[in-house]
Amino acid sequence: HLDWVKISNEMCQKLEDHFKNATGILGFYWPQKLEFDIKPFIVEWIAKNNRAALPVYTPNQPLCYFLWEPSQMLQKNDFGIMEPSPLGKEIIPYTILVPLLGVDENMYRLGRGGGAFDRTMSYYRGQKWKTKFIGLATPAHLIQNFPREEHDQPLDEVLWV
């Protein structure tokens, strides 16, 4: 049993340390059950004159990212995930923080089964964009030998707390 409030705070601190000298647009996710709540870090990131973007989900497509501000209203998509209105210009974050349910020693992640992040990683890499995909995990997320499918994409890095 994980204390999600405590480890979310630890992950926010880890992210602050990791990105202390970074600038630019950071892609993130709106937390669901059993995912780190990194919103406090994102609010701090924006307060330091950086920008953040949230994805909009379209079935069988890569995720599209749109700028987000803390005052902005979000809407629930068909899967109950909060996302911005898909108005405005789609942007390409320089780093995307990726939630996961599990990860193996080769940085392949186990998600919720829809394949959206795998499609996004594959598409960005096919476009030769330099976006880094960073998974967020605890040791409890480490899984040995879970089945991998042809479309699965490895993360570039995993931050552990």
Side-chain angles (χ1 to χ4, degrees):
H1 168 67
L2 296 172
D3 178 346
W4 282 101
V5 172
K6 181 175 181 272
I7 63 171
S8 288
N9 290 337
E10 290 173 15
M11 182 56 78
C12 285
Q13 185 59 57
K14 176 78 98 177
L15 288 164
E16 201 159 305
D17 294 345
H18 186 83
F19 289 102
K20 71 175 173 256
N21 297 318
T23 58
I25 302 170
L26 190 58
F28 73 110
Y29 59 89
W30 202 262
Q32 296 186 78
K33 194 172 171 180
L34 304 179
E35 294 176 350
F36 295 103
D37 182 353
I38 58 170
K39 294 189 306 275
F41 163 72
I42 295 299
V43 170
E44 283 295 312
W45 175 257
I46 292 169
K48 294 176 183 168
N49 291 319
N50 291 303
R51 296 186 296 167
L54 276 171
V56 171
Y57 176 80
T58 302
N60 303 313
Q61 298 295 317
L63 295 167
C64 295
Y65 282 81
F66 295 88
L67 289 178
W68 178 79
E69 290 285 335
S71 61
Q72 186 178 343
M73 294 292 295
L74 297 175
Q75 57 198 23
K76 264 189 188 169
N77 68 16
D78 293 343
F79 300 94
I81 300 169
M82 301 302 286
E83 58 185 27
S85 171
L87 302 172
K89 186 172 182 275
E90 181 183 348
I91 53 137
I92 308 303
Y94 85 97
T95 297
I96 294 177
L97 302 175
V98 182
L100 50 80
L101 297 178
V103 63
D104 72 9
E105 62 279 353
N106 296 310
M107 294 195 287
Y108 283 89
R109 67 182 278 282
L110 189 60
R112 297 190 180 270
F117 280 101
D118 288 310
R119 279 192 299 279
T120 305
M121 286 188 269
S122 177
Y123 179 72
Y124 276 45
R125 289 167 179 163
Q127 297 295 319
K128 304 283 191 264
W129 294 333
K130 303 285 188 224
T131 301
K132 276 182 70 173
F133 293 86
I134 300 178
L136 307 179
T138 71
H141 287 107
L142 188 59
I143 299 174
Q144 304 296 325
N145 304 321
F146 65 84
R148 208 180 292 154
E149 297 179 26
E150 196 175 304
H151 66 268
D152 288 344
Q153 295 282 316
L155 296 161
D156 295 302
E157 189 176 342
V158 177
L159 291 182
W160 299 89
V161 292

